Amino acid sequence: MKPVRVRFAPSPTGLPHIGNTRTALFAWLLARQTGGRFIVRVEDTDQKRYQPQSLEKILEILEFLELDWDEGPRVGGPHQPYFQSQRLDHYQKIAQELIDSGVAYYCFCSSDRLEKLRREQKEKGQIPKYDRHCLSLSEKEIEKKKQAGNYVVRLKMPENLNFSWKDLVQGEITINSKDLDDQVLLKSDGYPTYHLAVVVDDHDMKISHVIRGVEWISSTPKHLFLYQSLGWPVPALMHLPLILGPDKAKLSKRHGAKSVLDYRDEGYLKEALINFMVYLGWSYHDNSQILTKEELIKAFDYQKIQKQNAIFDIKKLDWFNGQYIRMKKDEELAQLLKPFAPKEADEDLIKKIIPLVKERLARLSEFRGLAGFFFLSPEVSQSLLKENVRGNYKNYLKEALLVIQSIKDWQEGEITRKLMALIKKKSWQTGDFFMALRIVIAGSRHTPPINDSLVILGKEETIQRLQKFLKN
Ligand code: GLU
């Protein structure tokens, strides 16, 4: 494939969810695979809905996933994204050209009139559409009304024309223009709408492939008409499938309409998120192949992007995450775990614990529940003991303390041998004995292997915890 020029064009109007980020990932992969260019263009033309925080998050996601881009203004450091709000003059100029060539027109209708029109059309069971009231104004009237400001520019959509294109993902698509509204291109505040700005910028930035969500298909005829009217070539179009929850409903917060940053904060690794996201609409072997970013750059094949909706399955993300956690070197994992460990945790201790928990973690955030007891002495619940241990647990622990105090060589083998000998001598149940020990040492029924844990905890701390418990 020839080098592509692709863009990620987020609107900073809310928190980006996994679908937006998947779009960025696909475009980035295609750019890297073909030796092309990946561009980030912030579509900030909706001043009412603009949220600065949303922009920060979008950029933070790209940085976290290391989806770097290749163009844009730069002062010393890396490239900044392009911002549409910095190109208003340019869109206004193009809007004027469209007016001059009769493809667009001024509209002075008040929002009250438009609202009334919409209501009436709905009541009649018609599709709400502008009635071209302002199209019949004379030059003179237009000039006069323009003085007062407060007008928009609309696209004069052909009334009954088929727009067809061969979508690289969705295949052949034809949409008739008869139900399409005369889209506002330039708003009364002088800002373009998405439809004008996207066409102008994709053309100016020489975008070869427009990659975006399937929800934009219905707008595409408007864009095609603009390309045609401006005499510009149309880029290749790829509309990516929707992402649904496992219940086939639209993705909601509950299923993952969260942002990648939420997942990061829940302890998902970027490698796992990337590997997981790539299968949201793209298919490769059994769709659970572990592929690093470098491997993905090679393997990614846009022709295998699916038409059908993708299903977001958090269990699959957990699985990928667990795999990537196990592939990490202990040193790196220790650093990654640090923010998830109690404040007082030092990195050396985390490193020692890692071999005991690495196989068990699906998310980094589980570290605290599984290993928090290494750092902080737990609250021991009598009822937890009563519910989970048969026999006289106090007695088990009293005897265990004596044995533990006598151990000279504080190693797992020695600890196990001595404790097993005690259990045998007393004819206790191994399960009950160790459950009691586990609950008192860790405050929980679920811990890494307990004798290995005791080694790391140290003899002194182990004795102290037992003594503290037995005192009460
Ligand atoms: N700003 C649009 C969005 O956030 C971009 C759509 C497109 O890529 O053309 O979805």
Side-chain angles (χ1 to χ4, degrees), residues 7-13 20 23 41-45 58 84 194 198-199 202 210-213 215-216 223 238-239:
R7 77 326 189 254
F8 172 49
S11 299
T13 51
N20 305 116
T23 301
R41 183 175 76 219
V42 179
E43 303 208 322
D44 55 347
T45 57
I58 292 165
Q84 290 188 323
Y194 158 70
V198 77
V199 169
D202 284 342
V210 168
I211 304 175
R212 63 184 169 203
E215 64 275 17
W216 295 107
H223 305 172
M238 298 169 83
H239 287 94

